[in-house]
């Protein structure tokens, strides 16, 4: 039993991809980042590549991937469906922005409008992804005020660090962008610590008695409701030892936050070739750390249905 890597990679890759796309859309459209073919080609390719890779990996999580298209029809009631619709719609202005900014080398006018729409679409899609988990009342660790902002913060954090690495590679990096990267990483670090503090103090009032509606004694499960593990037990009933959880939290803090802050801070004083290497390393290390953070996000969550299994 363990959280599915497909979902872990999906949330990490799409978060970084949409964060980078949003920044490219607004900064490129407003001519803060100059139009350049290779800069735009690599930047848009990286952003859209991460998004597509994440979306494709999510289909591997489905029992019947060929039926994934049916999820789009439930957008009135399902955040998962809304996420799918938003992600597809976002590709339209993103594609137009890519054509204008990358292929035509233009900025302003309709290119700026397309870039801003791509930015809005990226933000909306990240919000729908966060709401998939924030709306799940049976999982108290996710159904809190921290979940949705966390998705937005981590997306902006990883996206800005990726953009900084890209700009440093083309020798157009700025101290303002570096400062934003450091600030967003510190904010993400603080927000993650707040989430862990909240979850560690979380008291779930639901018990086997209240779940079954039985009173007059302590309800215990004599046997499982079925003969084999199901989806919920495999991915939302994972039991992780406290010592392993503490160690993984330390790794997350070090790799996703502390080390990137150190590398980004060092970039302020390093000459161009070394600044590029430090920025690129910060982006790679942070992405790896966020994979650990997302794994913990799923591993430490507990679905109320596990009460029926004596947990």
């Amino acid at each position: 039993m363990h959280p599915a890597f497909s979902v872990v990679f999906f949330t990490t890759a799409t978060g970084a991809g949409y964060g980078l796309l949003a920044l490219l859309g607004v900064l490129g459209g407003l001519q803060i980042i100059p139009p350049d073919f290779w800069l735009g080609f690599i930047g848009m390719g990286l952003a859209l590549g991460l998004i597509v890779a994440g979306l494709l990996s999510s289909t591997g999580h489905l029992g019947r991937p060929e039926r994934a298209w049916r999820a789009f029809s439930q957008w009135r009631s399902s955040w998962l469906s809304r996420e799918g619709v938003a992600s597809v719609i976002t590709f339209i202005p993103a594609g137009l922005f890519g054509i204008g900014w990358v292929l035509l080398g233009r900025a302003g006018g309709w290119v700026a409008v397309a870039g801003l729409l791509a930015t809005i679409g990226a933000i909306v899609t990240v919000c729908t992804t966060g709401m998939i988990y924030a709306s799940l009342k049976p999982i108290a660790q996710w159904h809190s005020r921290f979940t949705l902002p966390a998705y937005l913060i981590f997306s902006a954090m990883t996206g800005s660090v990726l953009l900084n690495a890209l700009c440093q590679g083309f020798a157009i990096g700025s101290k303002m962008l570096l400062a934003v990267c450091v600030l967003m990483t510190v904010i993400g670090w603080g927000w993650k610590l707040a989430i862990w503090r909240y979850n560690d103090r979380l008291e779930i009032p639901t018990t086997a008695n209240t779940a079954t509606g039985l009173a007059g004694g302590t309800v215990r499960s004599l046997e499982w409701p079925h003969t084999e593990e199901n989806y919920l037990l495999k991915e939302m009933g994972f039991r992780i030892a406290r010592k392993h959880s503490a160690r993984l939290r330390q790794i997350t803090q070090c790799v996703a936050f502390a080390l990137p802050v150190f590398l980004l801070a060092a970039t302020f004083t390093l000459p161009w070739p070394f600044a590029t290497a430090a920025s690129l390393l910060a982006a790679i290390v942070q992405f790896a750390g966020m994979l650990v953070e997302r794994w913990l996000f799923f591993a430490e969550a507990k679905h109320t249905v596990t009460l029926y299994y004596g947990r």
Side-chain angles (χ1 to χ4, degrees):
M1 300 192 314
H2 56 82
F5 180 76
S6 60
V7 177
V8 173
F9 180 78
F10 159 70
T11 54
T12 306
T14 55
Y18 281 120
L20 178 57
L21 175 62
L23 290 171
L24 287 174
V26 67
L27 297 179
L30 297 179
Q31 304 182 52
I32 298 175
I33 299 178
D36 178 85
F37 176 79
W38 287 111
L39 172 65
F41 182 79
I42 295 175
M44 290 296 293
L46 179 60
L48 297 179
L50 285 170
I51 294 170
V52 171
L55 293 174
L56 289 177
S57 72
S58 68
T59 62
H61 185 63
L62 302 175
R64 300 293 294 273
E66 69 276 7
R67 297 180 180 177
W69 63 271
R70 296 185 178 180
F72 291 90
S73 63
Q74 306 301 315
W75 59 269
R76 292 182 181 84
S77 59
S78 169
W79 283 108
L80 177 63
S81 181
R82 292 166 186 163
E83 178 199 43
V85 173
S87 64
V88 171
I89 293 176
T90 301
F91 275 103
I92 299 174
L96 292 174
F97 173 71
I99 292 173
W101 193 57
V102 179
L103 298 181
L104 302 180
R106 298 177 58 181
W110 66 269
V111 177
V113 173
L116 291 175
L117 289 176
T119 297
I120 294 172
I123 295 173
V124 170
T125 305
V126 173
C127 286
T128 57
T129 303
M131 284 304 300
I132 292 175
Y133 305 99
S135 63
L136 296 178
K137 294 182 180 180
I139 304 177
Q141 291 85 354
W142 295 351
H143 188 63
S144 75
R145 63 184 182 275
F146 291 99
T147 300
L148 177 57
Y151 270 83
L152 291 170
I153 291 171
F154 293 151
S155 180
M157 177 186 76
T158 52
S160 63
V161 173
L162 283 173
L163 178 62
N164 173 68
L166 183 66
C167 290
Q168 291 290 344
F170 284 87
I172 59 171
S174 67
K175 291 186 177 180
M176 178 65 72
L177 179 57
L178 268 174
V180 170
C181 292
V182 172
L183 178 62
M184 289 306 306
T185 302
V186 171
I187 291 175
W189 192 354
W191 196 259
K192 191 65 214 184
L193 290 175
I195 292 173
W196 284 334
R197 188 179 302 111
Y198 172 82
N199 288 344
D200 291 342
R201 297 175 179 177
L202 187 63
E203 295 183 2
I204 303 175
T206 306
T207 64
N209 288 65
T210 59
T212 57
L214 300 175
T218 301
V219 175
R220 294 189 300 270
S221 178
L222 297 177
E223 60 182 13
W224 282 18
H226 41 75
T227 58
E228 61 182 13
E229 292 181 346
N230 59 12
Y231 162 79
L232 288 175
L233 279 183
K234 289 180 179 179
E235 300 190 20
M236 297 183 187
F238 182 75
R239 289 179 291 185
I240 180 173
R242 182 171 297 179
K243 64 177 182 179
H244 296 318
S245 178
R247 177 63 59 85
L248 288 173
R249 288 185 179 187
Q250 292 173 352
I251 293 173
T252 297
Q253 292 189 68
C254 178
V255 181
F257 305 111
L259 188 53
V261 166
F262 171 78
L263 291 169
L264 292 168
T267 306
F268 278 99
T269 58
L270 291 174
W272 174 68
F274 300 102
T276 300
S279 297
L280 180 60
L281 183 59
I284 295 173
V285 166
Q286 187 173 78
F287 189 87
M290 290 306 296
L291 287 174
V292 180
E293 187 277 332
R294 289 292 87 183
W295 190 90
L296 269 177
F297 174 76
F298 290 100
E300 293 182 325
K302 295 294 181 292
H303 199 289
T304 307
V305 76
T306 57
L307 291 171
Y308 290 99
Y309 298 86
R311 299 184 183 177

